[in-house]
């Protein structure tokens, strides 16, 4: 197909069926056919010649293959065996809105990813966006309202959308396209984080932290940014209250008038002296940086620390390697084939 809109709602596929975009103009008797025969007389061709699939609701997707199709507005809810659908070629999904948005008094931005139409419809409803006339595009900065925008009972909720993402993610993974499945894992976690009925409050909080620190293990820049911030805070805290001002005296042994003596002195706890501003020096910064870097790789720095500094190092040796692992995991998920 070319310049076509396909609605497969409740179709009964008794044999394997493929919807394929014809990427070049059709020819007849050796001559290229005019595009207006496909788009309608007097209607300019669409910017994309791909076949648009708008619904597979109620379809047994195990027998369906979509190749080079536009799934921007495709509805998957109600399909079964969706984890066995085959999506090949340049399959296009709707993107997340671009730019920054205001929610109450704080700015909100959405990460770039492929989004199902059902999530667009749910988010447009919860954001309070108005319904749009049929065929009108809300633009790249807004969510796309669904056909039942004014009837929330017919708009799939987060629990239903999470199940769709989970099944499509498995379809991509079975096709050995793990980087392509990453966005669907992100969408599944997003819907679980917003699901107040099927996800417990504790799990939603855990997902919130997972999202904040690393974008569900898929956003390396976020994990490495948090790692850099954690190391910077570790250095500042160690310079201020973690490193002792003076190293404690150690026990000594020696001889005096031919007699061997030993002076055993108790080692006092490392202490802080002087004002805080006097402790912010380059020499202390170097020591604090050494402790912070060693914490990332689970190594003890061997540096004398105050009691508070010891606890700071313990927390760093737990948190910072975790952030490093999340960053590496995010890179791996994007490049693994």
């Amino acid at each position: 197909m070319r310049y076509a809109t396909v609605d497969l709602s409740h179709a009964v596929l008794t044999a394997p069926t493929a919807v394929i975009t014809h990427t070049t103009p059709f020819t007849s008797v050796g001559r290229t056919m005019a595009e207006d025969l496909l788009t309608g007389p007097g209607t300019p061709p669409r910017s994309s010649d791909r076949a648009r699939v708008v619904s597979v609701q109620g379809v047994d997707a195990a027998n369906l293959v979509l190749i080079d199709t536009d799934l921007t507005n495709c509805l998957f809810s109600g399909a079964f065996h969706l984890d066995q659908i085959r999506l090949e070629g340049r399959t296009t999904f709707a993107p997340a809105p671009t730019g920054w948005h205001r929610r109450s008094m704080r700015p909100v931005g959405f990460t770039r990813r492929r989004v199902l139409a059902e999530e667009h419809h749910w988010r447009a409803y919860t954001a309070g966006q108005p319904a749009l006339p049929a065929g009108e595009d809300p633009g790249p900065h807004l969510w796309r309202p669904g056909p039942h925008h004014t009837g929330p009972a017919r708009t799939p909720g987060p629990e239903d959308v999470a199940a769709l993402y989970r099944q499509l993610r498995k379809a991509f993974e079975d096709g050995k396209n793990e980087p392509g499945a990453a966005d669907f894992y992100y969408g599944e976690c997003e819907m679980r984080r917003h699901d107040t009925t099927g996800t417990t409050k504790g799990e939603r909080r855990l997902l919130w932290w997972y999202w904040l620190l690393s974008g569900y293990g898929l956003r390396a820049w976020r994990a490495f940014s948090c790692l850099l911030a954690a190391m910077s805070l570790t250095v500042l805290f160690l310079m201020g209250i973690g490193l002792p001002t003076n190293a404690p005296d150690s026990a000594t042994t020696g001889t005096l008038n031919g007699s061997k003596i030993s002076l055993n002195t108790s080692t006092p706890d490392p202490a802080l002296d002087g004002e805080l501003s006097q402790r912010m020096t380059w020499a202390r910064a170097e020591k604090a940086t050494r402790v912070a870097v060693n914490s990332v790789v689970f190594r003890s720095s061997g540096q004398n620390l105050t009691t508070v500094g010891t606890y700071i190092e313990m927390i760093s040796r737990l948190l910072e390697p975790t952030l490093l692992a999340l960053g590496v995991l995010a890179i791996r998920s994007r490049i693994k084939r």
Side-chain angles (χ1 to χ4, degrees):
M1 298 183 176
R2 183 173 170 83
Y3 293 110
T5 299
V6 184
D7 188 344
L8 296 175
S9 298
H10 306 290
V12 178
L13 307 181
T14 58
T17 303
V19 178
I20 308 172
T21 293
H22 198 276
T23 56
T24 58
F26 291 112
T27 59
S28 178
V29 197
R31 300 179 59 184
T32 301
M33 296 175 60
E35 296 290 320
D36 58 5
L37 295 176
L38 302 174
T39 60
T43 302
R46 297 202 312 254
S47 58
S48 173
D49 57 6
R50 296 193 201 182
R52 294 184 297 185
V53 180
V54 296
S55 177
V56 294
Q57 293 180 305
V59 174
D60 184 353
N63 289 324
L64 183 60
V65 181
L66 304 178
I67 303 176
D68 290 334
T69 52
D70 184 348
L71 303 178
T72 299
N73 297 306
C74 185
L75 299 177
F76 291 93
S77 56
F80 51 100
H81 293 155
L82 197 56
D83 59 328
Q84 300 178 39
I85 193 173
R86 296 294 300 274
L87 304 175
E88 306 288 351
R90 297 181 300 123
T91 303
T92 304
F93 289 86
T98 58
W100 289 92
H101 309 265
R102 178 176 295 180
R103 180 178 297 171
S104 298
M105 297 299 294
R106 58 189 178 90
V108 176
F110 299 101
T111 187
R112 296 179 60 183
R113 60 185 175 94
R114 293 180 294 177
V115 181
L116 293 183
E118 282 86 352
E119 182 181 351
H120 266 275
H121 301 166
W122 176 79
R123 287 188 180 269
Y125 173 76
T126 55
Q129 292 180 204
L132 296 176
E136 183 173 337
D137 192 334
H141 303 293
L142 297 174
W143 297 101
R144 300 168 181 264
H148 308 295
H149 186 62
T150 57
R154 302 182 65 182
T155 300
E159 186 175 9
D160 300 319
V161 181
L164 296 178
Y165 274 120
R166 188 180 306 113
Q167 293 179 78
L168 289 172
R169 172 172 62 87
K170 184 177 184 301
F172 273 97
E173 291 173 346
D174 290 344
K176 307 303 180 182
N177 185 4
E178 294 194 13
D183 283 347
F184 292 88
Y185 176 70
Y186 192 103
E188 177 189 349
C189 291
E190 275 287 275
M191 292 295 95
R192 289 173 56 200
R193 183 166 67 92
H194 288 90
D195 179 19
T196 57
T197 57
T199 307
T200 63
K201 188 175 182 179
E203 186 177 353
R204 291 200 307 273
R205 288 180 177 177
L206 183 62
L207 285 169
W208 186 85
W209 280 108
Y210 194 23
W211 163 79
L212 180 66
L213 295 178
S214 65
Y216 307 115
L218 296 172
R219 300 296 181 261
W221 67 268
R222 191 177 298 183
F224 287 126
S225 297
C226 290
L227 174 61
L228 181 61
M231 293 180 64
S232 299
L233 287 175
T234 300
V235 170
L236 289 176
F237 281 127
L238 289 174
M239 290 176 63
I241 57 177
L243 292 172
T245 306
N246 299 304
D249 296 330
S250 58
T252 59
T253 59
T255 57
L256 179 63
N257 297 328
S259 301
K260 186 176 180 180
I261 62 172
S262 175
L263 300 177
N264 295 318
T265 59
S266 59
T267 302
D269 291 335
L272 296 171
D273 295 326
E275 298 291 335
L276 177 62
S277 59
Q278 297 174 347
R279 298 198 292 268
M280 297 296 175
T281 63
W282 286 111
R284 291 171 63 83
E286 188 275 332
K287 292 181 181 179
T289 302
R290 191 190 316 152
V291 174
V293 172
N294 283 330
S295 298
V296 178
V297 291
F298 287 110
R299 290 181 55 192
S300 175
S301 62
Q303 176 67 45
N304 288 324
L305 299 173
T306 64
T307 301
V308 176
T310 301
Y311 283 106
I312 292 174
E313 184 184 32
M314 291 169 60
I315 294 173
S316 298
R317 291 173 67 182
L318 174 65
L319 176 62
E320 292 166 7
T322 302
L323 293 173
L324 178 62
L326 288 174
V328 174
L329 177 65
I331 294 176
R332 180 179 178 274
S333 67
R334 287 296 183 180
I335 64 176
K336 184 178 178 180
R337 294 290 181 180

